[in-house]
Amino acid sequence: MINGNTKLLCLLGSPVEHSFSPAMHNASFQKLGINASYMAFDVKPESLEQALKGLRTLNFVGANVTYPYKEHVMSYLDDIDPKAKEIGAVNTIVHKDGKLCGYNTDADGFIESFNRFQFELKNKKIAILGTGGAAKAVAVGLLYSNVKEVHVFSRNLEKATLFCNSLDYPNICPRTYDILDEDYPYDVIVNSTPLGMHPKIGHSIINSEIVGYNNTVFYDLIYNPQETEFLKNARLSGRRTINGLDMLIYQGIYALRRWFDFDQTKWTRDDVEDILKESQII
Ligand code: NAP
């Protein structure tokens, strides 16, 4: 029940109506017995700074940040976690001791989703398709996990080169899609493009022929639909697949851990999936 002690959290973005975060976090608070409430605020670009001041004034515990403010919000924070700095984007804010600190839990969420399958990322060769913000979080997460090599694919070599140069690692290099036809043996291929996402389902960045080792893992960051054309092609070719739901759930759990102390052994990915199902979100 909301009362005078209820802690406040929110999502800042535009648009925000489609977001799973309010339902996911409010249900989590209820199940975990945390007296908190999470709202979604559609913030106009000219009001972002004011919104951040509002978090301070109203003593919010924290916030999530979504499109289109993950980069822009960084200029209004007191402190930024090194990983978020490398990614160049913040999706979680913690308000503590009068300071707003920014984190990026997308990278942690992506990496955590491999642990569920006991998949060891160390020394693996990875292909990332796309050069947007999600791809950057994925790349930084992978580079922190000591993978052997990351190849970043773009429709434009210059764009992929800029992306790789923005990260200070020797083992990341730019590629264009023609090389994917050469059956390069990647251990994991990550679709970080929006191709195949609702409502434009049925599109895939890799069309019919699935490349890679027989045991290549195909990972699509998209969670709606749960099986994209990219994942369907991979599954039909007998490959392992992971969709974006795990990353979504784990980034939420990581944010929750940043905001509140709770016994994390009592709060799992499956608990959150159950909540999403109960709320008919998935
Ligand atoms: P974005 O910036 O819109 O696009 C990412 C990249 O995809 C672009 O930079 C572009 O790279 C490539 N691309 C875009 N349209 C394309 C097309 N028609 N054909 C080929 N390539 C295309 O997206 P984003 O914010 O990085 O997000 C990417 C995906 O990840 C989205 O589907 C998003 O929903 C999903 N996501 C999921 C989670 C999760 O928790 N599961 C979190 C964040 C994002 P080039 O121009 O270099 O080719």
Side-chain angles (χ1 to χ4, degrees):
M1 198 178 83
I2 292 179
N3 58 28
N5 293 318
T6 303
K7 308 281 183 229
L8 298 174
L9 296 109
C10 67
L11 174 68
L12 305 174
S14 187
V16 291
E17 313 86 74
H18 64 284
S19 172
F20 289 6
S21 295
M24 181 164 77
H25 286 307
N26 284 317
S28 301
F29 300 153
Q30 204 176 0
K31 296 251 170 162
L32 284 162
I34 296 172
N35 183 1
S37 181
Y38 186 110
M39 303 285 291
F41 295 132
D42 191 326
V43 178
K44 297 293 158 242
E46 60 276 15
S47 307
L48 184 63
E49 186 175 7
Q50 280 302 114
L52 270 291
K53 281 186 182 156
L55 295 187
R56 293 178 199 271
T57 311
L58 301 176
N59 204 23
F60 272 61
V61 168
N64 283 132
V65 184
T66 189
Y67 181 85
Y69 301 129
K70 285 186 181 183
E71 292 92 17
H72 189 186
V73 77
M74 294 171 80
S75 48
Y76 303 119
L77 303 178
D78 301 303
D79 206 0
I80 296 167
D81 178 66
K83 204 183 282 178
K85 248 185 218 164
E86 274 192 75
I87 296 166
V90 157
N91 78 330
T92 299
I93 298 173
V94 178
H95 185 203
K96 206 171 175 189
D97 304 326
K99 286 189 170 175
L100 295 179
C101 303
Y103 299 88
N104 190 307
T105 66
D106 284 334
D108 296 333
F110 173 75
I111 296 304
E112 185 67 30
S113 56
F114 288 93
N115 294 339
R116 194 160 87 90
F117 300 92
Q118 278 109 41
F119 185 90
E120 172 73 73
L121 282 165
K122 195 172 169 194
N123 289 327
K124 295 292 194 296
K125 295 179 188 171
I126 321 280
I128 298 177
L129 317 180
T131 58
K136 188 63 94 51
V138 164
V140 171
L142 289 168
L143 293 164
Y144 269 75
S145 305
N146 298 319
V147 295
K148 186 170 185 176
E149 245 176 286
V150 175
H151 289 182
V152 178
F153 288 79
S154 170
R155 296 165 293 179
N156 177 323
L157 187 60
E158 207 176 320
K159 217 172 152 192
T161 306
L162 277 175
F163 181 104
C164 295
N165 288 348
S166 72
L167 296 169
D168 190 18
Y169 292 87
N171 51 343
I172 179 165
C173 45
R175 293 282 183 265
T176 47
Y177 285 104
D178 43 329
I179 204 173
L180 261 181
D181 297 336
E182 293 175 12
D183 207 5
Y184 191 88
Y186 292 106
D187 297 294
V188 182
I189 301 181
V190 186
N191 177 35
S192 307
T193 78
L195 275 190
M197 188 165 69
H198 181 80
K200 289 190 177 171
I201 58 173
H203 297 271
S204 170
I205 194 84
I206 296 179
N207 280 324
S208 49
E209 288 191 12
I210 290 297
V211 289
Y213 293 127
N214 277 342
N215 57 357
T216 297
V217 175
F218 285 75
Y219 195 127
D220 201 325
L221 300 193
I222 295 170
Y223 47 83
N224 183 11
Q226 291 202 30
E227 187 178 65
T228 56
E229 192 72 8
F230 173 81
L231 292 188
K232 191 171 100 189
N233 290 341
R235 178 177 57 79
L236 294 176
S237 304
R239 307 293 161 73
R240 272 191 292 174
T241 62
I242 307 179
N243 70 21
L245 188 63
D246 280 359
M247 177 173 169
L248 176 81
I249 290 176
Y250 285 124
Q251 65 76 29
I253 293 177
Y254 273 95
L256 207 55
R257 281 183 200 161
R258 293 268 176 209
W259 297 322
F260 298 104
D261 282 334
F262 61 90
D263 182 354
Q264 40 187 278
T265 59
K266 289 194 179 145
W267 199 237
T268 65
R269 177 214 171 275
D270 291 346
D271 293 324
V272 180
E273 186 177 14
D274 287 347
I275 278 179
L276 294 175
K277 282 184 179 151
E278 275 168 33
S279 319
Q280 298 185 333
I281 289 174
I282 57 170

